[in-house]
Every structure is written in C-alpha cells, then in structure tokens.
Amino acid sequence: MAKKEIAYSDAIAEIEKILEKFNSSQMSVDELAADVKRASELICICKKRLTEVKSDVDSALKVDE
Amino acid sequence: MAGSNEYITLSRLQSFIKNGIDNSHPFPYWVAAEISELKVSISGHCYVDLVEKGEGQQSARAKLRGMIWSNTYAGLSMRFAAETKQRLEAGMNVLVKVVVTYHELYGISLQIIDIDSAYTLGDIERQRRETIHRLKADGVFDMNRELDMPMVVQRLAVISSPNAAGYQDFMNELTASRYRFEVELFESLMQGAESERYIIGALDAIMEREDSFDAVVIIRGGGSQSDLSCFDSYDLCNNIAQFPLPIITGIGHDKDNSVADLVSALSLKTPTAVAVHLVNGLTEFESSLDDLLWQITDHSQVMISDCEIELNNLAMVLNISSARALNSANLQLERVSMTLKHESSRVVERLFVSAEQYLADLRQFVNLFLNEERRCVHEYESKIVNGFAQLFDATQKELSLLEAVVMANDPRHIIEKGFAFVSFSGRMLDGVSELQEGDAITITLRDGSVESIVNKIDLKD
C-alpha cells in the first residue's frame, strides 16, 4: 500500500484525538483495540521521524563548522 | 571753443587728484565687500578685486581694486586662516581696513591693511545656515541619513586624493583587518577652489554604477584645517543629500562639522575612524551570524527535545488511558454480572417465599374450608337429629291425637256414650237419603241391637 507519508503534525493531532475519545468515555470496547493499535503505530512513526530529523540537523550543523 | 590757453600737465592733474583724495580720505576705512578675484604674485603681493553686488544680483554695482603688500599679506592671511579655518579666497565677504590710494599710473585703489575675520566668519556661518535652511526647505536635508545602511558594507566607492595621507591611513586600516573590502578609488581634489567640482564629478561617476557599491566614503585628512569651505557649498551638499547610496564622511575636522557632515548618512572625525567603523561593522555582522547559528542550533535542539518529551507523554497517556478504559469496561462487566447474580437469586428467593406463602395460604384455606364443612355437617347432623326427634315427638303427638280422635270417633265409644249407629245392608248409614220406607235397618246400642223397619222418612232440607 503506497501511502503518502503522514505529516508529523497530523499524526500528533490524530493521537490526541484518540486520547480525547478515551477521556470523553465515548470509547466502545470494540474500538478500543483498534484505536490503541493505531495510536501506538502513530507514536512509532513520529519517533522514527524525529530521529531522522535529529540526525539530519546534526549533520547540517556539523558541515558548517 | 575747445582748447584753452590755460592748461596743466597730466601729472599735475594727477597730483591734484591725488591730493584731493589724500586730503579727503586721510584715514583708513573699514569696508565690507566681496572679493570677486584674488591673485597672489610671485613677489608675495596679493591683488584683489572688491565688488559689491545688489541683493540676489550677479552683476556688481560697485567695484574697486585692492591690494595687500606681501609683508602684510603673509601675517594677515595666516591669521585669517587660523581664525576662520578658511583660506582667503574669491567669493568671500570680508570686512577690511583700507586706505584709499591714488596712484598716477594705476589710478585709484585700496590698500588693505587689516581684516576682521569675525565678519567673514559670521558671513560664512550665515551662508552655512542659509545652505542648511535651503536644503531643509527643499526637503532633502535628511534624505541621505534616512537611507537604510546595508547590513554588510563591503563594497566601497572612495572619494579622496590618492596621495593624501588620509587615504593611506584608511587603506592600511582596512587591509589590516581580517575582512576583504572591495575598494574603488574615485580620485578627486579635496581642497582648493576646484575641489567642489571634482567631488561632484566623482559622485556622478559613482551614481552611474550605483549597484556595484554598498556605500560611498569621502575622506580627507592630514592636511591643513583650512579650506574645508567646499564642504559647506550648497551644490555639493545637495548632491550628497540626494545621493542614492549612503555617504560616510571623514574629512578631519578639529571641531565644527561642515554642512556635508550634517547631510551625510554618517560622519566621523578622520579617515582612520571611518575605516575602523567599517571594520567594526563587519565584525558585528560576523558575530551576529555566529549568534544566529547558535540560536538555530539551540532552537532546533530544543524543538526536537520538546517533540521527544511530547511523544513520550502521549505514549504514557495512551498507556494509562487504554488500561483505564479496559479496567472500567471490566469493572462494568463485573458489576453487571454481580447485579445479575444478586437480582436472580433475589428473584428466586422471592418466588420461593411467594410459593411458601401460597402453600401456607392454601393450607390455611383448606383447613378453614374443612372446618367449615365439618361444622356444617355437625350442624346438619344435630339439626337432623333434633329435627327427627322433634318430628317423632310431633308425629307421636299427632298419632296420639289421631288415636284419641279415632277413639272418640269409634262407634263403640260413641255407643258407650249412648249414641246408636244405624247400618243398612251391612253398611253403616250416615244419612236417610238412601233409605226407603220399609227398609230393614239395624240399630245398634251399647247393650245390643234392634231390628227395625222404616216407617217414615223425614228429610231435612
């Protein structure tokens, strides 16, 4: 499935929406598993993205020295 | 008729005139006039043309030659230069002490023996003020100063004289720094009467290549303090004020500023000061670049760190929230099942109780019913017994009564009483209707019977 990479800010927004659902206790047991899975997935993507950015920035700054 | 026998020689006439003049003007005068021309001869004598022009006029309405002897001129010009910071030159308004002199050959002239620098100073000052006023009135006074100085001033158009020490000092200062400056020199005279024209010419040349430079530098220095008058000129200052590039001046005053300093974007004391300022500018820029780099580094690190923290928080919250949601669903289930248990056992118990109750009620009802029936039966029984007894008694009584009646009605009994009964053909007679006369009837009495024949019948009606 060739999907366009989700934007970092969109991923964060989606995670927060899922957490919002938890808080408002509108969560149904059926959706629970699927939503937790999706949120964990998104967190993983974000962490990976952050690591990439960190290493890019570091190398960019080093080049300038 | 022309020609007279009375004549004098020319020199005689001159002599008369000279005497007349000498006698009427024996003393010196202080005269205010403008120097329209000034020449210094090889011998050191100074020859001037003094003129007076009307208000705003270009042509003179009065004119006289003047001269200063060399020995006077030497001291006078030095003192004048010291006091006014200017060299005595054409175009100046001066206040001079003069002696009217008439010479046979050269005619009338003024011998200048003294000069009041203050007058010229005042006049110079007045002209300066006028120039400033004109520039302000034209709205150009602030124009060069209001230009944005570029962030990096590196490409310089320098107006100076290449041989002047000022220029050398300037270049030395620049090359000694660690920065590379692109300097192009636009040669000019920086003093003297022609300097104004040259400097304006240099400005024009620079203007044609305006885009090649960041700023213009006008420097002059290490020379005499006099002769800065060109920097007060309206034309030059007008040019500077309206110039499209910022102009930095370093024309080496001791004190006051020229009008050129007032209109230029930046004015400093000396050429060296200008160079130092330019170098400092680049140093500051370099340091601001370093600062920006540091800020970028810092901010990007902070941003990344903040994102990491936020992600960790979200992961933690996700954990807790999902556990909590599961937990609460669990609790709910347990609650429901507990309730179910309670409710169902309660219902069963209630049903039990109800059933017991029914049973008891039923029993009670049956008992009551049976008792009732029993009572009824007893009641009937006794009623029957009583009733029968009563009936029996009653019947007995009745029988007795009947017996009595029967007995009473027994003919035997009746006979006893004295009555007789009649029988006819074996049957008892209760009436006379069926008899006929002559029938044989029997009459029975208590003690016997009589046979008789019917004689007469009397029927009762």
Side-chain angles (χ1 to χ4, degrees):
Chain A
M1 182 163 41
K3 260 198 300 201
K4 191 164 81 92
E5 267 195 9
I6 184 172
Y8 184 90
S9 50
D10 290 340
I12 295 282
E14 203 180 322
I15 295 171
E16 283 175 343
K17 208 163 64 145
I18 293 176
L19 288 178
E20 191 48 46
K21 252 166 85 174
F22 273 116
N23 270 342
S24 69
S25 49
Q26 279 172 16
M27 181 66 75
S28 79
V29 178
D30 296 317
E31 295 172 339
L32 188 69
D35 281 341
V36 169
K37 196 153 148 227
R38 175 71 178 150
S40 299
E41 201 176 80
L42 289 169
I43 289 180
C44 201
I45 292 176
C46 287
K47 280 200 164 149
K48 206 156 64 104
R49 185 76 56 81
L50 217 52
T51 311
E52 280 167 17
V53 167
K54 202 173 182 174
S55 106
D56 281 346
V57 167
D58 277 347
S59 65
L61 289 173
K62 266 194 193 41
V63 166
D64 185 71
E65 297 271 317
Chain B
M1 180 119 124
S4 163
N5 293 329
E6 293 278 337
Y7 67 90
I8 56 176
T9 59
L10 188 61
S11 56
R12 197 70 204 266
L13 178 61
Q14 292 275 51
S15 186
F16 281 153
I17 298 174
K18 182 169 163 49
N19 284 338
I21 289 177
D22 286 345
N23 288 334
S24 4
H25 307 289
F27 298 114
Y29 295 105
W30 279 100
V31 166
E34 179 182 328
I35 300 176
S36 74
E37 263 187 62
L38 187 147
K39 280 196 301 281
V40 182
S41 73
I42 307 166
S43 40
H45 304 309
C46 179
Y47 300 94
V48 298
D49 276 346
L50 294 174
V51 298
E52 179 183 308
K53 295 185 184 150
E55 273 300 317
Q57 302 280 47
Q58 287 297 83
S59 53
R61 59 181 184 198
K63 183 168 162 181
L64 261 181
R65 274 184 303 123
M67 49 94 57
I68 317 173
W69 292 124
S70 61
N71 50 357
T72 313
Y73 180 66
L76 187 146
S77 66
M78 229 167 48
R79 182 164 51 85
F80 182 81
E83 284 171 9
T84 65
K85 307 279 187 287
Q86 312 259 26
R87 227 194 352 235
L88 193 63
E89 64 186 7
M92 282 184 171
N93 286 319
V94 294
L95 182 60
V96 287
K97 197 170 185 186
V98 302
V99 175
V100 182
T101 314
Y102 191 81
H103 195 279
E104 300 86 338
L105 289 172
Y106 306 119
I108 193 164
S109 67
L110 300 175
Q111 183 195 350
I112 300 174
I113 58 175
D114 200 0
I115 187 165
D116 183 357
S117 317
Y119 177 85
T120 311
L121 258 184
D123 188 66
I124 290 170
E125 187 54 40
R126 182 187 58 81
Q127 278 186 29
R128 269 190 78 219
R129 277 205 301 274
E130 239 174 62
T131 305
I132 294 175
H133 186 262
R134 258 177 90 185
L135 290 170
K136 281 190 177 164
D138 291 344
V140 304
F141 191 77
D142 299 313
M143 273 176 71
N144 198 259
R145 267 205 313 279
E146 285 172 357
L147 288 176
D148 289 324
M149 191 68 82
M151 220 178 348
V152 177
V153 179
Q154 224 174 0
R155 301 171 304 163
L156 309 169
V158 176
I159 301 179
S160 186
S161 164
N163 304 318
Y167 179 69
Q168 299 297 336
D169 291 339
F170 178 79
M171 290 306 291
N172 288 343
E173 190 72 36
L174 289 187
T175 47
S177 78
R178 45 183 253 161
Y179 302 114
R180 181 177 63 87
F181 287 91
E182 279 173 23
V183 176
E184 187 168 332
L185 175 66
F186 289 78
E187 272 189 53
S188 167
L189 285 181
M190 301 306 287
Q191 43 205 43
E194 295 295 294
S195 58
E196 182 182 335
R197 191 167 60 84
Y198 271 89
I199 296 176
I200 293 179
L203 283 173
D204 287 337
I206 296 172
M207 175 118 85
E208 276 176 25
R209 298 169 43 213
E210 181 186 329
D211 295 327
S212 312
F213 302 106
D214 299 321
V216 175
V217 173
I218 302 181
I219 47 174
R220 185 214 101 115
S224 71
Q225 282 298 310
S226 64
D227 219 2
L228 293 165
S229 58
C230 64
F231 294 106
D232 286 332
S233 101
Y234 175 80
D235 280 333
L236 175 59
C237 294
N238 196 23
N239 259 288
I240 292 178
Q242 298 194 51
F243 203 73
L245 291 173
I247 293 184
I248 308 175
T249 55
I251 50 187
H253 293 283
D254 260 354
K255 23 179 194 169
D256 302 333
N257 288 331
S258 301
V259 180
D261 290 318
L262 296 177
V263 293
S264 62
L266 179 65
S267 96
L268 296 163
K269 265 205 171 301
T270 62
T272 310
V274 172
V276 166
H277 172 85
L278 291 170
V279 170
N280 282 345
L282 288 192
T283 309
E284 267 179 38
F285 180 74
E286 193 185 13
S287 127
S288 74
L289 280 178
D290 284 336
D291 188 58
L292 280 175
L293 181 64
W294 182 86
Q295 278 189 42
I296 290 172
T297 310
D298 189 51
H299 276 142
S300 65
Q301 282 172 351
V302 165
M303 257 188 84
I304 291 178
S305 169
D306 281 349
C307 282
E308 279 177 340
I309 292 176
E310 190 189 5
L311 266 184
N312 284 338
N313 273 348
L314 286 175
M316 201 164 55
V317 171
L318 180 69
N319 229 333
I320 294 175
S321 294
S322 61
R324 195 152 32 103
L326 271 175
N327 202 21
S328 91
N330 232 345
L331 279 176
Q332 197 188 37
L333 265 179
E334 275 193 33
R335 241 202 329 267
V336 166
S337 95
M338 191 96 73
T339 308
L340 188 69
K341 242 196 293 187
H342 276 151
E343 285 304 300
S344 60
S345 66
R346 232 170 21 124
V347 163
V348 164
E349 185 149 325
R350 219 168 354 127
L351 283 175
F352 255 126
V353 165
S354 282
E356 290 279 359
Q357 192 68 35
Y358 280 145
L359 205 58
D361 287 347
L362 195 67
R363 239 187 237 123
Q364 193 180 44
F365 175 76
V366 163
N367 279 340
L368 273 176
F369 180 75
L370 283 180
N371 284 343
E372 185 67 20
E373 288 303 299
R374 202 170 292 143
R375 192 181 58 79
C376 274
V377 163
H378 276 146
E379 203 175 283
Y380 286 151
E381 197 180 48
S382 61
K383 256 194 191 156
I384 286 174
V385 164
N386 286 348
F388 185 72
Q390 274 179 359
L391 196 66
F392 187 75
D393 283 346
T395 312
Q396 260 195 329
K397 274 199 183 103
E398 211 175 289
L399 267 177
S400 297
L401 221 67
L402 277 177
E403 199 181 28
V405 169
V406 161
M407 261 201 345
N409 287 331
D410 191 359
R412 287 182 290 237
H413 202 55
I414 293 176
I415 287 177
E416 296 294 307
K417 283 199 177 157
F419 290 92
F421 62 86
V422 183
S423 44
F424 179 61
S425 27
R427 249 179 333 120
M428 280 226 337
L429 259 169
D430 63 358
V432 302
S433 51
E434 41 179 307
L435 289 176
Q436 293 172 357
E437 288 174 7
D439 282 334
I441 55 174
T442 314
I443 304 175
T444 315
L445 284 133
R446 200 166 41 105
D447 46 350
S449 45
V450 164
E451 291 280 329
S452 67
I453 300 260
V454 171
N455 293 339
K456 190 173 140 185
I457 303 176
D458 205 0
L459 190 66
K460 241 200 288 238
D461 357 77

